Amino acid sequence: MVHCSCVLFRKYGNFIDNLRLFTRGGSGGMGYPRLGGEGGKGGDVWIVAHNKMTLKQLKDKYPHKRFVAGEGANSRVSALKGSKGKDCEIPVPVGISITDEYGKIIGELNKEKDRILVAEGGLGGNLLTNFLPLKGQKRIIHLDLKLIADIGLVGFPNAGKSSLLSQISHAKPVIADYAFTTLKPELGKIMYNDFKQISVADLPGLIEGAHMNKGMGHKFLKHIERTKQLLFVVDISGFRLSPQTQYRTAFETIILLTKELELYKEELQTKPALLAVNKMDLPDAQDKFHVLMNQLQNPKDFLHLFEKNMIPERTVEFQHIIPISAITGEGIDELKSCLRKSLDEHANRENYAYHKKQLLNLQISNTVTYSELPSKNAVTSSRMDII
């Protein structure tokens, strides 16, 4: 059994995951024609990542959402080379993708202190500009946050994801017996006795058609792009969004969740995945679990039950399948153990692949170097040909 303590990692209130900003680099300084003096360059506008920053904090602190860098100093007799204008730094959370107003990607900031230039300052006046300064670059940018977490919880509404998160991390998500209790992402962190930490993101529940932006749609799906692994959470009794929608069994919800991920972005299916079968405290849960396991072991035997457009190109092969009850705590310790084991195994495989690639690059580099050196036989042969 894995012993671990759990703490609240980060809870978002009035969650914001995108923001539009106006940025402008500073104008350059005036040149000094009589003495050939050059004005200082205008300051630049930078986006800088900080772990403890949120887009809500940024919006609250700078409600105008305008960021302009300082102007370059004018050239003068006492300082012919004008000093550079003051740079403007915009603090953002880690996990930000930056695009311009036309949708072109400027860059991404994925770790603390990452920075990217978004608006350059204008040149100071000099001989080439007739000593007149140039204006700074003007740019409207869009900040788009994609949460970074070790594990992303995937499931239909009311599958028990929020209850599960509260069990494993002591986070305090809204929990109720109706769909869509999670309207904003919640992050919890599992802390193990050896100080290992695993972050888990509970994201708004999917519905059929999420890939077409129905329900939470893309607002949810984009956040699992940067999670290392996926934890599918399904209700053993199945799911029905409303009296007007069709009832889905646990097996059907897994197939439909897989299809939604595939339709949004096929790469999501390559992520390692685990399955938590929740609400095992309900009557007949054990019988339903045995039926589900049989279906998961032979999924192709049951795909004829689905409409053709609902069948994914490939079914998910779960690394671990754990029956749990987020209410009673059944299976929670085993789930924590499996999450850690899966992440450790994945990290080991990545390290092995990285070192193997480095070794291969070294071998190729050495081969190229040796092949460029002329051999003695080649020199002798050419001399013999001349003779």
Side-chain angles (χ1 to χ4, degrees):
M1 181 182 291
V2 176
H3 297 284
C4 58
S5 60
C6 310
V7 297
L8 176 65
F9 179 49
R10 187 187 296 158
K11 185 175 179 179
Y12 292 91
N14 301 324
F15 183 74
I16 296 173
D17 59 7
N18 59 80
L19 212 54
R20 180 177 179 269
L21 307 178
F22 172 85
T23 63
R24 190 177 71 211
S27 298
M30 288 288 294
Y32 200 112
R34 189 161 61 87
L35 297 177
E38 187 175 322
K41 181 180 179 295
D44 303 317
V45 181
W46 296 83
I47 304 285
V48 185
H50 296 277
N51 282 329
K52 295 184 179 180
M53 192 67 188
T54 69
L55 288 182
K56 183 180 184 304
Q57 289 174 329
L58 178 63
K59 184 182 178 183
D60 290 345
K61 189 174 181 180
Y62 305 99
H64 56 282
K65 295 180 287 185
R66 289 175 60 89
F67 298 88
V68 180
E71 296 184 352
N74 296 333
S75 173
R76 57 187 189 277
V77 174
S78 58
L80 288 178
K81 173 67 175 174
S83 58
K84 184 178 182 294
K86 186 178 181 181
D87 287 349
C88 173
E89 293 191 354
I90 306 173
V92 300
V94 173
I96 283 290
S97 176
I98 307 159
T99 55
D100 64 16
E101 58 186 317
Y102 306 107
K104 183 180 178 183
I105 296 176
I106 299 172
E108 294 185 345
L109 304 177
N110 292 321
K111 61 180 185 293
E112 171 84 5
K113 298 299 182 184
D114 272 0
R115 57 170 47 222
I116 194 164
L117 178 66
V118 292
E120 195 169 355
L123 291 174
N126 56 52
L127 183 62
L128 296 176
T129 66
N130 202 24
F131 297 97
L132 296 174
L134 300 182
K135 291 183 178 180
Q137 182 182 12
K138 190 187 296 183
R139 215 173 195 184
I140 292 173
I141 62 170
H142 293 267
L143 305 180
D144 194 36
L145 174 66
K146 295 177 182 177
L147 293 179
I148 298 175
D150 295 314
I151 303 289
L153 302 185
V154 178
F156 282 143
N158 213 28
K161 302 189 306 300
S162 297
S163 298
L164 175 59
L165 183 68
S166 66
Q167 271 278 4
I168 61 177
S169 71
H170 291 183
K172 299 290 187 291
V174 176
I175 300 170
D177 192 22
Y178 53 85
F180 294 119
T181 53
T182 303
L183 298 177
K184 61 182 185 293
E186 299 277 354
L187 270 175
K189 183 173 3 181
I190 309 171
M191 296 186 67
Y192 294 84
N193 282 353
D194 61 354
F195 305 108
K196 171 76 173 182
Q197 299 178 4
I198 294 176
S199 55
V200 183
D202 175 23
L203 304 155
L206 281 174
I207 64 169
E208 292 177 44
H211 70 280
M212 296 184 294
N213 218 12
K214 290 183 180 178
M216 289 295 176
H218 297 171
K219 193 173 180 67
F220 161 81
L221 286 166
K222 72 174 185 179
H223 285 300
I224 60 175
E225 290 183 44
R226 291 186 183 175
T227 57
K228 295 178 183 176
Q229 301 195 4
L230 305 179
L231 175 61
F232 284 62
V233 183
V234 299
D235 184 336
I236 188 59
S237 299
F239 171 71
R240 190 175 192 178
L241 182 62
S242 72
Q244 289 75 40
T245 58
Q246 187 175 343
Y247 166 78
R248 302 295 188 187
T249 65
F251 178 68
E252 287 174 330
T253 60
I254 293 168
I255 295 298
L256 292 172
L257 285 168
T258 305
K259 185 65 175 179
E260 289 298 334
L261 296 182
E262 174 187 283
L263 291 171
Y264 175 70
K265 187 167 283 189
E266 286 187 31
E267 292 81 8
L268 294 178
Q269 288 184 293
T270 64
K271 289 181 181 289
L274 297 85
L275 172 63
V277 183
N278 196 16
K279 305 189 182 180
M280 289 299 296
D281 54 295
L282 296 177
D284 302 325
Q286 285 297 336
D287 293 339
K288 291 177 180 177
F289 182 72
H290 289 309
V291 172
L292 176 61
M293 288 300 293
N294 181 48
Q295 292 170 321
L296 291 173
Q297 286 166 4
N298 307 283
K300 292 183 179 178
D301 295 345
F302 300 92
L303 292 181
H304 67 277
L305 301 172
F306 296 85
E307 295 176 23
K308 192 173 182 181
N309 63 344
M310 294 166 60
I311 302 173
E313 292 291 326
R314 50 182 284 189
T315 54
V316 177
E317 294 184 11
F318 296 107
Q319 297 191 349
H320 301 278
I321 300 175
I322 311 100
I324 67 165
S325 170
I327 300 299
T328 67
E330 175 190 345
I332 296 299
D333 282 334
E334 183 185 355
L335 175 61
K336 292 174 183 175
S337 177
C338 289
L339 289 173
R340 175 164 184 175
K341 182 179 178 183
S342 180
L343 283 168
D344 287 347
E345 288 173 350
H346 182 64
N348 290 337
R349 284 194 297 270
E350 281 192 333
N351 287 337
Y352 175 75
Y354 173 77
H355 290 305
K356 189 175 180 180
K357 184 179 180 181
Q358 291 291 93
L359 183 62
L360 182 62
N361 289 339
L362 185 62
Q363 291 172 341
I364 292 173
S365 176
N366 289 339
T367 303
V368 170
T369 303
Y370 291 140
S371 66
E372 289 175 350
L373 293 173
S375 65
K376 290 182 179 179
N377 291 338
V379 174
T380 306
S381 174
S382 61
R383 285 177 179 172
M384 289 177 65
D385 290 340
I386 293 171
I387 292 171

